[in-house]
Each structure stands twice: as structure tokens, then as C-alpha cells.
Amino acid sequence: MRGWIGLAIIAGILYYFATETNKLDEPIDYVKSIFISADKKLSSMTGTKIQRIDTKIPALKEKIYERLSTIEIRELDGVFTDSEAIADFKQEYCLNSKASHPVFSRENLQFICDKI
């Protein structure tokens, strides 16, 4: 029982110093900085980074590949590298109905524009 009373008194004193004075601000900041630096070191050691895998582009290519010639498939691979490239392609060739592409036939260009 005496241990609990002593522990309660120590906790009360620590609470007083932590809330009513600035005596513990420096040690608390020091301990926080240790935890923050340890977290940063652990993050850098694991080296994990979140990478978003876009599954739409390969699925889109598969649908379009069935219809294209070998030359058109190579061109499509060069054009559809990421979402930004697809958006650029769409902006340049799909928004204008009279646009033509140097490699894709008119029908295949329209097919690609319909799929994207």
C-alpha cells in the first residue's frame, strides 16, 4: 500500500512540473527529439517507399493490341508509357475528329480514342 502512495505522490509531482512549470520542457523536448530521430533512421534503413501501380494501362493495351499491326503496337508502346502520356495523346489526337496520326490508321486511331 505504501508503494502505491509513494507512486501517486511522484506522479503528482511530475504532473505539476509538467503542466504548471517549464522545468520539464527541455527534457521532454529532448526525449521527443530522440524518438523522432530514431523514427527517421528506421524509415531510412528500411527504404520502403509507396509506389502506386497502375493496372489500367496494361489492361488497356491488351484490348487495343488485338486490332493493331506490329508497327502500330510499337508506336502504342512508345505513346502509352504513363497516365500523363495517355492524356497528352488524347488531347492531341482524340479531341479533334479530323486529327490524323502518322502511324495509326484512321480506324485504329478512332478505336484507340474510344478505348481511352
Side-chain angles (χ1 to χ4, degrees), residues 5-82:
I5 295 173
L7 187 61
I9 291 172
I10 291 172
I13 291 170
L14 284 175
Y15 178 78
Y16 171 78
F17 279 113
T19 58
E20 302 297 323
T21 67
N22 61 0
K23 301 272 187 210
L24 293 178
D25 289 347
E26 191 173 310
I28 289 172
D29 289 340
Y30 175 72
V31 171
K32 280 184 183 177
S33 70
I34 289 174
F35 281 118
I36 290 171
S37 69
D39 185 45
K40 286 181 181 178
K41 284 181 184 178
L42 183 61
S43 295
S44 69
M45 287 171 54
T46 58
T48 56
K49 295 180 182 178
I50 297 174
Q51 294 180 348
R52 181 173 174 251
I53 299 174
D54 194 355
T55 58
K56 293 179 184 178
I57 294 174
L60 180 65
K61 283 182 182 180
E62 284 181 31
K63 289 179 185 176
I64 298 172
Y65 277 177
E66 297 169 0
R67 182 174 175 148
L68 302 180
S69 68
T70 307
I71 296 169
E72 290 174 325
I73 290 173
R74 287 185 194 142
E75 181 70 18
L76 186 70
D77 284 340
V79 172
F80 286 10
T81 55
D82 59 10

